[in-house]
């Protein structure tokens, strides 16, 4: 168990999440008729930008008004013949980040490429190959304070549902810097979201199929070294999205079993919201995973009632204390108030 560096004041003050859990009755919702709002970006003015399977993002203004921003609206997600096809085919905007100029960077989990789109819907492919080969399932993109882009590729397996296995470790992290994309760390069990600590000294990685968080120290030239586990060795659930708060707690989601957790700077895990509650479907999925026998049918049987398949947590609002839950199967965005502000992202 390892600990990130803390401010001296934070080390002696009580942790704001001590004793905190989310009261389901306090959860409110924003947005309507969204399609696969997996990742959410928040801005200072209170607006949200949610990934949308129609081929772009939905911009939700503070008063609730929303508009789809897409070069060409797609209907493949909505009209798919079955749920398995819906989640593996067509355009699937996934992780999002704001470029320095305000454009939206989109890691497209369906087309296997990193795209950039203006706020008016003009888009282009930024990168879709690495070393002359297809890039793989581009899951997430993160911009750092030096304007470098960090990408996670979950797997090189085309149907990602077939890669939900304890025996497959073909995920990697790539760095896009000055027009060049290079692999900086490899051999992950389904690489998912990544986040930097407040000083960008360590990069934290959600390894979905290892069911753990790992971290790597960042070198000046963008290398990643000293890989180690942060927090529990096994969460007992598939980790998807992660985000730091200002106190150094790392929040995250357990997808399909629909929990929100936080790992304290001391490495202790707290469950803040549980919308699975030990369901039979969740237990069956985890038992099948242990046997390396996960199927799309078992996965699709899971999901709570708040926003099926919790995928991400985003801190927003003027004080960064509103937490938004991204998901893969909901059509609106739940949110609640946090006792601590989120760590500001590079665009904040």
């Amino acid at each position: 168990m390892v600990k990130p560096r803390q401010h001296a004041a934070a080390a002696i003050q009580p942790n704001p999440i001590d004793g905190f859990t989310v009261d389901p009755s306090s959860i409110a919702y924003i947005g309507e008729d969204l399609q696969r709002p997996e990742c959410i970006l928040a801005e200072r003015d209170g607006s949200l930008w949610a990934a949308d399977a129609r081929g772009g993002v939905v911009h939700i203004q503070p008063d609730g008004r929303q508009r789809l921003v897409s070069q060409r609206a797609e209907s493949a997600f909505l009209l798919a013949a079955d749920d398995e096809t819906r989640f593996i085919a067509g355009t699937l905007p996934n992780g999002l980040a704001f470029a320095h100029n305000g454009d939206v960077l989109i890691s497209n989990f369906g087309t296997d490429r990193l795209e950039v789109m203006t706020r008016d819907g003009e888009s282009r492919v930024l990168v879709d190959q690495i070393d002359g080969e297809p890039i793989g399932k581009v899951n997430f993109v993160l911009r750092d304070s030096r304007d470098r882009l960090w990408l996670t590729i979950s797997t090189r397996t085309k149907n990602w549902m077939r890669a939900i296995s304890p025996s497959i470790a073909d995920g990697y992290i790539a760095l896009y810097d000055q027009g060049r994309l290079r692999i900086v760390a490899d051999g992950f069990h389904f690489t998912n979201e990544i986040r930097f600590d407040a000083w960008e000294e360590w990069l934290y990685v959600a390894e979905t199929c290892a069911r753990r968080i790992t971290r790597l120290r960042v070198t000046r030239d963008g290398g990643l070294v000293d890989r180690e586990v942060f927090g529990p060795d096994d969460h007992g659930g598939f980790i998807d999205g992660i985000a730091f708060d200002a106190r150094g707690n790392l929040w995250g989601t357990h997808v399909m079993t629909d929990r929100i957790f936080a790992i304290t700077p001391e490495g202790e895990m707290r469950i803040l919201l549980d919308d699975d509650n030990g369901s039979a479907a969740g237990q069956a999925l985890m038992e099948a995973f242990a046997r390396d026998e996960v199927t799309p049918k078992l996965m699709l049987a899971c999901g709570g009632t708040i926003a099926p398949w919790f995928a991400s947590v985003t801190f927003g609002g003027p004080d960064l204390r509103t937490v938004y839950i991204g998901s893969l199967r909901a059509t609106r965005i739940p949110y609640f108030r946090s006792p601590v502000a989120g760590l500001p992202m590079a665009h904040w």
Side-chain angles (χ1 to χ4, degrees), residues 7 10 198 244-249 251 315 340-344:
H7 289 297
F244 272 107
D245 68 28
R247 177 57 169 70
N249 301 299
W251 296 46
F315 289 91
V340 59
L343 181 68

Side-chain angles (χ1 to χ4, degrees), residues 46-109:
S47 64
L48 303 176
W49 300 75
D52 195 279
R54 284 167 288 191
V57 296
V58 171
H59 180 203
I60 305 174
Q61 298 184 39
D63 62 5
R65 288 180 298 163
Q66 64 183 55
R67 67 183 178 100
L68 174 67
V69 182
S70 171
Q71 186 176 35
R72 180 169 61 91
E74 298 284 351
S75 59
F77 182 84
L78 184 64
L79 302 178
D82 55 72
D83 280 340
E84 182 176 356
T85 301
R86 179 172 289 115
F87 287 98
I88 64 172
T91 180
L92 295 173
N94 209 70
L96 306 176
F98 285 125
H100 183 72
N101 66 354
D103 288 350
V104 183
L105 297 159
I106 301 173
S107 49
N108 198 313
F109 205 60

Side-chain angles (χ1 to χ4, degrees), residues 70-246:
S70 171
Q71 186 176 35
R72 180 169 61 91
E74 298 284 351
S75 59
F77 182 84
L78 184 64
L79 302 178
D82 55 72
D83 280 340
E84 182 176 356
T85 301
R86 179 172 289 115
F87 287 98
I88 64 172
T91 180
L92 295 173
N94 209 70
L96 306 176
F98 285 125
H100 183 72
N101 66 354
D103 288 350
V104 183
L105 297 159
I106 301 173
S107 49
N108 198 313
F109 205 60
T111 60
D112 300 348
R113 60 196 189 190
L114 178 65
E115 302 163 347
V116 59
M117 185 176 69
T118 69
R119 298 191 178 201
D120 294 323
E122 296 180 10
S123 65
R124 61 186 175 90
V125 177
L126 193 60
V127 63
D128 61 0
Q129 291 190 337
I130 190 165
D131 298 329
E133 298 292 332
I135 196 170
K137 305 307 294 184
V138 186
N139 187 303
F140 193 68
V141 56
L142 181 67
R143 183 170 66 89
D144 68 17
S145 62
R146 296 173 58 186
D147 208 29
R148 300 178 299 187
L149 304 181
W150 301 77
L151 280 65
T152 65
I153 288 73
S154 294
T155 178
R156 294 169 170 91
T157 303
K158 182 65 176 177
N159 183 340
W160 67 268
M161 286 186 170
R162 307 297 179 181
I164 303 301
S165 164
S167 63
I168 297 177
D170 63 348
Y172 63 93
I173 298 171
L175 176 62
Y176 186 77
D177 187 21
Q178 298 182 351
R180 176 174 175 253
L181 184 68
R182 61 186 173 99
I183 296 175
V184 288
D186 207 342
F188 294 94
H189 292 263
F190 207 92
T191 336
N192 216 303
E193 287 198 7
I194 51 177
R195 297 289 179 182
F196 289 106
D197 63 12
W199 302 271
E200 295 187 354
E201 292 179 343
W202 292 86
L203 183 68
Y204 290 72
V205 184
E207 282 193 81
T208 298
C209 292
R211 305 195 302 189
R212 69 187 177 208
I213 303 290
T214 57
R215 71 172 194 168
L216 304 96
R217 187 166 56 83
V218 184
T219 64
R220 182 66 183 171
D221 65 355
L224 296 175
V225 298
D226 300 334
R227 180 173 171 177
E228 57 194 11
V229 176
F230 172 68
D233 291 329
D234 188 341
H235 281 225
F238 300 127
I239 307 163
D240 197 326
I242 52 176
F244 272 107
D245 68 28

